[in-house]
Structure formats: C-alpha cells, structure tokens
Amino acid sequence: MNDAILPAPRPPSGPAIPAAYFGERVTWVHHWTERLFSFRCTRDPAFRFRAGEFAMIGLMADGKPLVRAYSMASPTWDEELEFLSIKVQHGPLTSRLQHVAVGDVVLIGRKPTGTLVTDNLRPGRTLWLLATGTGLAPFLSLAREPDVYERFEKVVVAHTVREVRELAHRELFERDLPDHELLGEIVAGKLLYYPSVTREPFRTQGRITTLIETGRIFADLGLPPLDPANDRVMLCGSEAMNRDCKAMLEARGFEEGANNAPGTYVVEKAFVTK
Ligand SMILES: Cc1cc2nc3c(=O)[nH]c(=O)nc-3n(C[C@H](O)[C@H](O)[C@H](O)COP(=O)(O)OP(=O)(O)OC[C@H]3O[C@@H](n4cnc5c(N)ncnc54)[C@H](O)[C@@H]3O)c2cc1C
C-alpha cells in the first residue's frame, strides 16, 4: 500500500485544514504556571523531524491559520507530538492556544526545520544544551534521543529560569528519565541536569553566563571548563542570553555551525522580541 496516495486525515468537524498543515487532536494539556504550559497531540505518521527542529504550529482563527514557530519537545520516536509553550497575555496565538483542551484541533506545519541538530555539530565528547525559559523545548527532544548518547559521552541540560516553579520538566530529568525502562540505561552516567534560577533562592542561582564564567557549573558537575577541542554547545534562549553566550563561546575559540557547515556550537532564538 502506498501511503502517499492516502488522503490526509481530516478532523470530523470544524474548518478545513490548509494543505500546508496537518490537523492534529490535542491529547493532554498541563499548566505549569500562569505563564507556561505543555500539550501533546496526535502525530501524522508522515510528519518527520530531526530532534531539535521546530515547525509552524497553531490554530485556525477566523477561518485562517494563526501560526508561530515552535520546537518539538517530544523525541522523534514518540508516536505523539509534545510542545512547551509560553502564555503571552495579549499574544495573537498564545492568548488562544493556552485554552486548548483535549480533543481540540491544532495545526502542525508540514516542514520542520532548524539549526539545533546534531548534524550541525562536529563530533565531540560533551554536548552542552543551554536554555532559558521555553528554550528548553528542543532539548527535551534531544535529551530523549538515543542517537545523541551514541555521539556524546556526556549530555548536559542547563535550564535557567526566573522562579523555581518555572523549572518545567524538572522531574523528567531528575526522576522519570533515569527510571525509564528503556532510556534509563542509555542516559545513566551520561545525562547531567543543571537547573538554575535567577530571581529566587535556589541551590544554583544566577545567569548561565555567570555560572560558566565563574567556573561554578564545571565545579558542580565535575567537568572541565568549555573547550572547543572536546565540547559542543547548543544555545536556545532569549536574544540577550544567546548574544552573551555566543560572545563567551567565540572568545574561547568556538565556531558557529550551520546546515552543511558543522561547527562547535549552534544557536537558535527561543523567541523573537518585537
Ligand atoms: C525558532 C523559534 C522557535 C520557537 N519555539 C517556541 C517554543 O517551543 N515554545 C514557545 O512558547 N515559543 C516558541 N517560540 C516563540 C513563538 O513562535 C511565539 O512567539 C509565541 O508562541 C508567542 O506567540 P503569540 O502570537 O502569542 O505572541 P507573539 O506576538 O509571537 O509574541 C509577543 C511577545 O511575547 C514575547 N514572547 C514570545 N514568545 C516567548 C517565549 N517563548 N518566551 C518568552 N517570551 C516570549 C516576545 O517579547 C514577543 O515579542 C519560538 C520562536 C522561534 C523564532
């Protein structure tokens, strides 16, 4: 049977889905805070992506697609898709998307893309995944991808947020992944989770650039300071975080990678400030 000739699945009711999108059903919603939520939805088998990529996703609004860039937070082997989303009070999309419920239809763009993929990095020993806020999303996918642990000896997920309760998926890293029946063995001794908080007391406080520059993160994790000979870095944060980390990495001799030109670090904006 040739899948290509089967018509794309259509929701039984509601507006027609434009050809550039899959229409998928929401299967789970979880609100972390009044500014942050996650949801899962069904996944068309034809929707393929590389861990770390993003797609245009959203809703039909007034008969038209209303979409924004979103990183897939789920691993590529998952039969569903998962997203981690901000709630912007007057944001065109997220003022609506935050109200999605199980059974609702969401649009998933058919063309995933992005720079935060392991193919854009040269081989190395330790992979550093540095995120602020929803910049964690692509790393939720990469950190659950067995192939990443074949390529790297250590994988560090460093997530910086303002308040402790914004440490979304902390339990995934601290408990669920190590306990996972299949991934547990793969990540054991390799995956290191390093949460930090900037505006509240926490065991690791401060901006990621400060934690790197003071050497605190290396002392805490028992790893040597960043060195382009061994380390590979992915950045996904606010424009300020990306800019400061880029400058710090380049001062240490790291080179930015891109599609068809692998480097020692790659970067993607977690969002664009208008
Ligand atoms: C490559 C890429 C990947 C992205 N992946 C994600 C993702 O996985 N999850 C996600 O929530 N957003 C992600 N975004 C941001 C997303 O595209 C939208 O901006 C966001 O969903 C808000 O949409 P909106 O229409 O409600 O408001 P917009 O008009 O898009 O944004 C309004 C303002 O809200 C602020 N803002 C927007 N997004 C964020 C955010 N994520 N964190 C903090 N402040 C923000 C900015 O100041 C922006 O100017 C990504 C953006 C890019 C460029």
Side-chain angles (χ1 to χ4, degrees), residues 153-190:
E153 290 169 23
K154 299 267 184 218
V155 178
V156 179
V157 176
H159 188 205
T160 306
V161 295
R162 292 176 184 174
E163 297 172 16
V164 177
R165 61 201 193 99
E166 293 173 328
L167 287 172
H169 290 291
R170 188 175 167 188
E171 287 192 346
L172 173 81
F173 291 107
E174 291 184 341
R175 194 196 60 202
D176 299 348
L177 263 179
D179 288 351
H180 191 275
E181 58 171 341
L182 300 174
L183 290 174
E185 214 170 295
I186 293 170
V187 307
K190 291 193 151 197

Side-chain angles (χ1 to χ4, degrees), residues 25-58:
R25 293 266 179 209
V26 173
T27 57
W28 172 85
V29 184
H30 176 77
H31 292 269
W32 303 96
T33 71
E34 64 287 347
R35 292 243 314 146
L36 196 61
F37 74 110
S38 290
F39 66 93
R40 291 176 68 86
C41 66
T42 53
R43 172 183 177 181
D44 193 293
F47 182 74
R48 311 239 160 211
F49 63 98
R50 293 183 293 173
E53 286 188 321
F54 67 88
M56 301 306 289
I57 75 149

Side-chain angles (χ1 to χ4, degrees), residues 35 54 68-71 84-86 88 90-95 134 137-138 268-274:
R35 292 243 314 146
F54 67 88
R68 293 286 185 271
Y70 269 80
S71 299
L84 173 64
S85 180
I86 195 76
V88 182
H90 299 294
L93 177 63
T94 57
S95 59
T134 60
E268 193 121 77
K269 292 185 187 95
F271 61 92
V272 178
T273 307
K274 290 165 194 153

Side-chain angles (χ1 to χ4, degrees), residues 58-78:
L59 299 168
M60 290 301 287
D62 306 323
K64 287 185 294 206
L66 172 57
V67 293
R68 293 286 185 271
Y70 269 80
S71 299
M72 274 63 77
S74 42
T76 59
W77 48 262
D78 197 328

Side-chain angles (χ1 to χ4, degrees), residues 61-250:
D62 306 323
K64 287 185 294 206
L66 172 57
V67 293
R68 293 286 185 271
Y70 269 80
S71 299
M72 274 63 77
S74 42
T76 59
W77 48 262
D78 197 328
E79 64 180 25
E80 291 191 336
L81 294 173
E82 186 177 318
F83 299 93
L84 173 64
S85 180
I86 195 76
K87 303 177 202 175
V88 182
Q89 209 185 353
H90 299 294
L93 177 63
T94 57
S95 59
R96 305 170 198 225
L97 190 66
Q98 63 182 279
H99 301 295
V100 286
V102 170
D104 288 352
V105 175
V106 288
L107 303 177
I108 307 291
R110 288 174 182 261
K111 293 193 176 158
T113 184
T115 54
L116 301 177
V117 293
T118 50
D119 287 345
N120 289 355
L121 290 174
R122 291 184 216 138
R125 273 199 205 143
T126 301
L127 177 64
W128 296 81
L129 305 173
L130 310 183
T132 55
T134 60
L136 181 69
F139 304 152
L140 288 166
S141 180
L142 282 154
R144 288 184 273 184
E145 208 60 54
D147 171 64
V148 169
Y149 298 89
E150 278 172 28
R151 293 186 190 226
F152 295 95
E153 290 169 23
K154 299 267 184 218
V155 178
V156 179
V157 176
H159 188 205
T160 306
V161 295
R162 292 176 184 174
E163 297 172 16
V164 177
R165 61 201 193 99
E166 293 173 328
L167 287 172
H169 290 291
R170 188 175 167 188
E171 287 192 346
L172 173 81
F173 291 107
E174 291 184 341
R175 194 196 60 202
D176 299 348
L177 263 179
D179 288 351
H180 191 275
E181 58 171 341
L182 300 174
L183 290 174
E185 214 170 295
I186 293 170
V187 307
K190 291 193 151 197
L191 175 63
L192 300 169
Y193 173 60
Y194 196 78
S196 62
V197 172
T198 55
R199 296 198 186 166
E200 265 185 356
F202 188 65
R203 62 172 190 264
T204 39
Q205 241 178 297
R207 299 171 68 216
I208 190 66
T209 36
T210 311
L211 294 163
I212 291 173
E213 270 159 6
T214 59
R216 166 87 194 268
I217 189 170
F218 309 112
D220 284 346
L221 294 174
L223 292 174
L226 289 175
D227 177 349
N230 299 318
D231 296 300
R232 300 294 171 259
V233 185
M234 291 192 181
L235 303 174
C236 192
S238 64
E239 286 174 46
M241 181 271 200
N242 285 355
R243 185 193 56 227
D244 294 350
C245 284
K246 252 176 104 129
M248 189 187 60
L249 289 173
E250 294 196 353

